[in-house]
Amino acid sequence: METLDRGVVRLKGIPALAGAEDSKAILVQQSKQQLLDVGMVFQSFNLFPHKTVLENVMLGPIYHKRASRPQVASAARGILGQVGMLAHENKYPHQLSGGQQQRVAIALAMEPSLLLFDEPTSALDPETVGEVLRIIADLARSGRTMVIVTHEMKFAMEVSDRIIFMEKGRIQFDGTPDALRDRLRHGDRLAEFVRL
């Protein structure tokens, strides 16, 4: 959604996107199939208001001709079951709570092997945050690769294999949760931000 200035984004070791400066040096083989392996969960849900829950989840796979309509519908119902939304498959987004809409948004992104989450709990009330975090934690336990941008530091420490702390566009920390806990004992700027 944003263009890169510098650097290369690799998916499964293959260059998929490159910044203007690097695209001359690296031949980027942008494969549509490769980019379909990335799912995105936005903080503002981004559901189509004129489509039912089931239709929203089916839209991408149908558009990209992943399978026949009955196969896509069956798979979509399975995914909705995983996020606790199967009973709401015929409802429209305006008939759902914020937490329910976010669970549908997670269902939309679940087929790809890499999931990107942009502040998935920021638009939710405190009560609903817990249920969405539980679903994300379940996905983490299933071995799914996820990149989560979050201010929910306690949650990040519990579910992450790797944590990156950025400030003003620069990486200030890149390591395991245990390495972060170790660093927090030193009381630097990172410790000021991360109050667990």
Side-chain angles (χ1 to χ4, degrees):
M1 297 175 138
E2 292 288 335
T3 56
L4 304 177
D5 295 325
R6 293 184 307 273
V8 177
V9 175
R10 296 175 191 277
L11 294 174
K12 299 180 181 179
I14 301 167
L17 301 169
E21 296 173 18
D22 299 292
S23 62
K24 294 171 192 151
I26 295 175
L27 175 63
V28 177
Q29 302 164 348
Q30 242 186 354
S31 160
K32 195 177 204 182
Q33 194 63 37
Q34 194 180 5
L35 293 176
L36 290 177
D37 212 24
V38 178
M40 178 78 192
V41 178
F42 298 90
Q43 64 187 34
S44 57
F45 320 133
N46 288 354
L47 302 176
F48 289 100
H50 62 291
K51 302 262 185 207
T52 66
V53 165
L54 182 62
E55 290 169 336
N56 264 282
V57 176
M58 290 175 60
L59 194 64
I62 292 287
Y63 177 81
H64 293 291
K65 298 175 177 72
R66 288 271 174 115
S68 70
R69 190 170 195 81
Q71 290 170 319
V72 169
S74 176
R77 285 187 175 99
I79 290 169
L80 287 171
Q82 288 178 33
V83 297
M85 290 302 294
L86 185 56
H88 304 281
E89 72 175 279
N90 293 314
K91 291 183 180 176
Y92 290 88
H94 74 274
Q95 296 173 302
L96 305 174
S97 70
Q100 289 171 326
Q101 289 183 57
Q102 190 61 297
R103 284 192 276 163
V104 174
I106 291 169
L108 280 168
M110 278 179 58
E111 252 189 23
S113 63
L114 170 63
L115 299 179
L116 307 176
F117 291 86
D118 178 19
E119 290 285 356
T121 59
S122 68
L124 303 176
D125 61 86
E127 197 172 293
T128 309
V129 167
E131 71 184 54
V132 170
L133 292 180
R134 274 190 298 281
I135 289 167
I136 296 171
D138 288 345
L139 289 171
R141 281 190 288 277
S142 76
R144 183 71 52 86
T145 299
M146 299 184 293
V147 176
I148 306 170
V149 175
T150 186
H151 287 91
E152 300 279 348
M153 293 307 299
K154 185 174 185 292
F155 172 73
M157 295 291 279
E158 290 170 5
V159 302
S160 300
D161 296 322
R162 179 178 173 195
I163 293 177
I164 297 174
F165 175 75
M166 295 184 73
E167 185 177 41
K168 297 179 183 170
R170 301 214 179 272
I171 294 174
Q172 303 297 323
F173 174 84
D174 180 355
T176 66
D178 286 340
L180 179 57
R181 283 185 195 90
D182 217 33
R183 171 132 173 223
L184 294 177
R185 292 187 191 110
H186 296 52
D188 63 2
R189 167 71 185 109
L190 187 57
E192 289 174 30
F193 179 82
V194 184
R195 292 189 179 100
L196 298 174

